[in-house]
């Protein structure tokens, strides 16, 4: 969020109104902001899809092993920061807008899971993880030939093995 606000401030000041411009020339050492749109390929979008899932699965996996709440909160906060970075990448992507929008909505679901972990709210966590899992499966089917991220597959296999013991 800070990056967006910073970029917006630079854009606003960089395109100042004609009557409000300073007569002094801008410093040549001043940072310049360039808005760059990208054209992510299918493989690059899938890499982002996997990265989003990984940010959620890391603290979920840690919780299943009995990690302390303070560790889960730290993992969740770090995951939220990485999700914010991925969001910026996707917001600048102009290729495949429908698939891109699905990934941006997926980040929202991921954020909800991580927020529930940070707040230690079990009811919200249960709802958010179900919605996240459902959306993971839907995106995998629709955009990636059913290929679910490895972190989720490994977690599911481990959970299944634990219940069969």
């Amino acid at each position: 969020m800070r990056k967006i606000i910073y970029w917006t401030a630079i854009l606003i000041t960089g395109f100042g109104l004609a009557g409000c411009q300073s007569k002094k020339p801008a410093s040549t050492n001043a940072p310049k902001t360039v808005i760059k749109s990208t054209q992510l390929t299918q493989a690059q979008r899938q890499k982002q899809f996997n990265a989003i899932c990984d940010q959620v699965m890391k603290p979920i996996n840690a919780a299943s092993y009995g990690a302390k709440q303070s560790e889960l909160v730290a993992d969740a906060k770090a995951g939220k920061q990485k999700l914010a970075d991925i969001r910026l990448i996707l917001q600048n992507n102009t290729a495949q807008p429908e698939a891109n929008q699905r990934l941006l909505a997926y980040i929202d679901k991921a954020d909800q899971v991580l927020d529930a972990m940070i707040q230690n709210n079990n009811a919200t966590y249960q709802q958010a993880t179900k919605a996240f899992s459902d959306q993971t499966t839907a995106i995998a089917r629709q955009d990636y030939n059913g290929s679910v991220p490895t972190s989720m597959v490994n977690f599911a296999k481990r959970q299944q093995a634990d219940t069969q013991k």
Side-chain angles (χ1 to χ4, degrees):
M1 186 64 162
R2 288 183 184 165
K3 290 179 184 177
I4 294 171
I5 293 170
Y6 176 72
W7 288 350
T8 304
I10 289 175
L11 289 174
I12 291 170
T13 58
F15 290 105
L17 298 174
C20 298
Q21 292 180 354
S22 168
K23 295 187 184 223
K24 292 183 179 181
S27 169
T28 57
N29 294 333
K32 293 179 175 64
T33 300
V34 176
I35 295 178
K36 180 182 176 186
S37 66
T38 57
Q39 295 273 324
L40 296 178
T41 65
Q42 177 83 357
Q44 290 169 321
R45 279 192 315 281
Q46 187 169 11
K47 182 179 176 183
Q48 299 303 325
F49 174 57
N50 292 336
I52 295 165
C53 187
D54 293 348
Q55 299 315 307
V56 173
M57 294 312 298
K58 181 179 179 185
I60 287 176
N61 204 27
S64 73
Y65 281 115
K68 295 178 185 175
Q69 180 63 25
S70 60
E71 294 169 356
L72 298 177
V73 168
D75 283 348
K77 285 181 179 180
K80 286 183 66 66
Q81 181 55 54
K82 288 180 184 175
L83 291 176
D85 295 342
I86 294 169
R87 185 183 304 275
L88 286 175
I89 292 167
L90 293 173
Q91 286 173 334
N92 291 324
N93 180 39
T94 58
Q96 296 292 319
E98 303 85 22
N100 203 56
Q101 286 303 322
R102 282 189 289 277
L103 288 177
L104 287 167
Y106 186 55
I107 290 174
D108 293 339
K109 294 291 184 200
D111 271 332
Q112 291 170 2
V113 173
L114 296 176
D115 285 340
M117 291 185 96
I118 291 168
Q119 297 163 3
N120 198 18
N121 185 331
N122 194 43
T124 303
Y125 171 78
Q126 295 298 328
Q127 292 172 346
T129 53
K130 174 150 180 26
F132 178 78
S133 178
D134 291 346
Q135 194 165 11
T136 302
T137 304
I139 290 172
R141 284 184 185 145
Q142 189 165 5
D143 297 326
Y144 307 113
N145 297 321
S147 180
V148 175
T150 304
S151 59
M152 186 172 276
V153 170
N154 290 342
F155 179 78
K157 284 180 182 178
R158 190 177 63 77
Q159 291 291 77
Q160 184 178 21
D162 287 348
T163 59
Q164 292 177 351
K165 289 182 180 178

